């Protein structure tokens, strides 16, 4: 079911198969066949003993992609795969670094340095047609009163962390991910603070959270919502 697969993992089946071989290589390098999962010398042949729930490399990649896409609590994520909370915690911490290594080798990790955006390899496929937006995610309510105020988002009516994303409109690749900021900080202020270096002749789509954000040498525009969609 392609639509369900995309909703659960954030990848199409073709993209999943593109990442899989590199992920498998990185996993094999981190888990030699002559060692146990704990890194100790193996006493019996690889594959002996009871089979784990995440027995194939496809299962392992699916497990960590779903976790990254949904980011649910470990108990619920473990239940979806027939694992206990402790088992889920173990596999999350084991597989997440391997996924990051695979995505980095494929050149799919976003820039974290705003000055590197202008020359990013993620912008070489098409002319730079970019979209900027902020994303918020709920976080635990801080105990400190000042932090409670800083992280309270009036828009979301809860305590959040926030990042600004820069996406290439044609390829849907995330080109830049800003440092994490408290939910109270305005979208435009984050973009102003972390001054992004845009490529020449770039176009930039933005929403109302970035009104007044006019980086030099960039043609900005604000898409209009369809009247029928709003009604």
């Amino acid at each position: 079911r392609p639509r369900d697969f995309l909703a659960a993992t954030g990848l199409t089946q073709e993209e999943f198969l593109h990442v899989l071989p590199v992920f498998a290589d990185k996993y094999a390098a981190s888990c030699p066949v002559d060692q146990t999962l704990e890194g100790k010398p193996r006493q019996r042949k690889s594959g002996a003993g009871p089979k784990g729930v995440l027995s194939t490399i496809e299962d392992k990649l699916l497990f960590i992609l779903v976790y990254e896409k949904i980011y649910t609590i470990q108990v619920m994520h473990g239940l979806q795969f027939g694992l206990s909370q402790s088992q889920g915690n173990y596999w999350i911490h084991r597989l997440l670094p391997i996924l990051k290594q695979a995505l980095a080798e494929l050149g799919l990790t976003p820039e974290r340095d705003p000055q590197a955006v202008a020359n990013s390899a993620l912008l070489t496929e098409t002319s730079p047609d970019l979209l900027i937006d902020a994303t918020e995610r709920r976080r635990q309510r801080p105990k400190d009163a000042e932090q409670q105020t800083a992280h309270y988002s009036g828009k979301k009516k809860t305590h959040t962390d926030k990042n600004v994303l820069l996406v290439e409109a044609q390829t849907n690749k995330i080109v830049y991910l800003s440092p994490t900021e408290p939910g109270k900080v305005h979208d435009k202020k984050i973009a102003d603070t972390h001054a992004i270096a845009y490529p020449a002749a770039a176009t930039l789509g933005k929403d109302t959270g970035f009104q007044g954000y006019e980086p030099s040498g960039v043609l900005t525009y604000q898409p209009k919502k369809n009247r029928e969609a709003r009604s």
Side-chain angles (χ1 to χ4, degrees), residues 15-144:
E15 290 169 338
F16 181 89
L17 294 175
H18 179 60
V19 173
L20 182 61
V22 181
F23 180 81
D25 290 344
K26 297 297 181 183
Y27 183 81
S30 68
C31 309
V33 294
D34 60 342
Q35 296 180 7
T36 65
L37 294 177
E38 290 75 26
K40 299 178 180 180
R42 187 177 293 279
Q43 300 297 316
R44 53 185 175 181
K45 186 178 179 180
S46 177
K51 299 295 185 291
V53 175
L54 305 178
S55 58
T56 68
I57 194 66
E58 290 86 355
D59 292 334
K60 293 177 176 64
L61 180 55
L62 179 67
F63 173 86
I64 197 62
L65 286 175
V66 172
Y67 177 75
E68 285 289 274
K69 176 64 163 62
I70 301 176
Y71 197 59
T72 186
I73 60 175
Q74 293 177 359
V75 172
M76 294 303 300
H77 189 57
L79 287 174
Q80 291 177 330
F81 286 84
L83 299 171
S84 66
Q85 186 275 332
S86 60
Q87 291 172 323
N89 176 274
Y90 170 83
W91 281 111
I92 288 169
H93 286 84
R94 188 170 186 83
L95 297 175
L96 189 56
I98 298 173
L99 177 63
K100 290 181 178 179
Q101 292 172 22
L103 294 177
E105 182 166 314
L106 290 167
L108 298 176
T109 52
E111 303 289 350
R112 303 307 303 271
D113 178 5
Q115 295 302 306
V117 172
N119 299 312
S120 175
L122 296 168
L123 293 175
T124 58
E125 297 180 30
T126 62
S127 57
D129 181 13
L130 303 169
L131 301 171
I132 191 170
D133 202 358
T135 177
E136 291 186 71
R137 59 191 181 279
R138 294 186 63 177
R139 56 157 294 159
Q140 186 176 11
R141 182 174 180 265
K143 294 182 179 180
D144 182 78

Side-chain angles (χ1 to χ4, degrees), residues 138-172:
R138 294 186 63 177
R139 56 157 294 159
Q140 186 176 11
R141 182 174 180 265
K143 294 182 179 180
D144 182 78
E146 291 185 3
Q147 290 188 10
Q148 287 181 24
T149 302
H151 285 274
Y152 186 79
S153 170
K155 180 180 178 181
K156 299 295 183 180
K157 308 301 181 185
T158 188
H159 297 86
T160 65
D161 287 326
K162 180 184 288 188
N163 298 84
V164 163
L165 301 173
L166 197 64
V167 179
E168 214 299 313
Q170 304 301 319
T171 63
N172 292 327

Side-chain angles (χ1 to χ4, degrees), residues 154-206:
K155 180 180 178 181
K156 299 295 183 180
K157 308 301 181 185
T158 188
H159 297 86
T160 65
D161 287 326
K162 180 184 288 188
N163 298 84
V164 163
L165 301 173
L166 197 64
V167 179
E168 214 299 313
Q170 304 301 319
T171 63
N172 292 327
K173 290 181 178 180
I174 299 176
V175 178
Y176 171 69
L177 175 65
S178 78
T180 301
E181 300 284 357
K184 188 177 181 179
V185 181
H186 195 272
D187 299 357
K188 179 180 178 296
K189 185 175 181 180
I190 298 176
D192 288 335
T193 301
H194 307 287
I196 302 172
Y198 291 91
T203 57
L204 181 68
K206 58 182 184 178

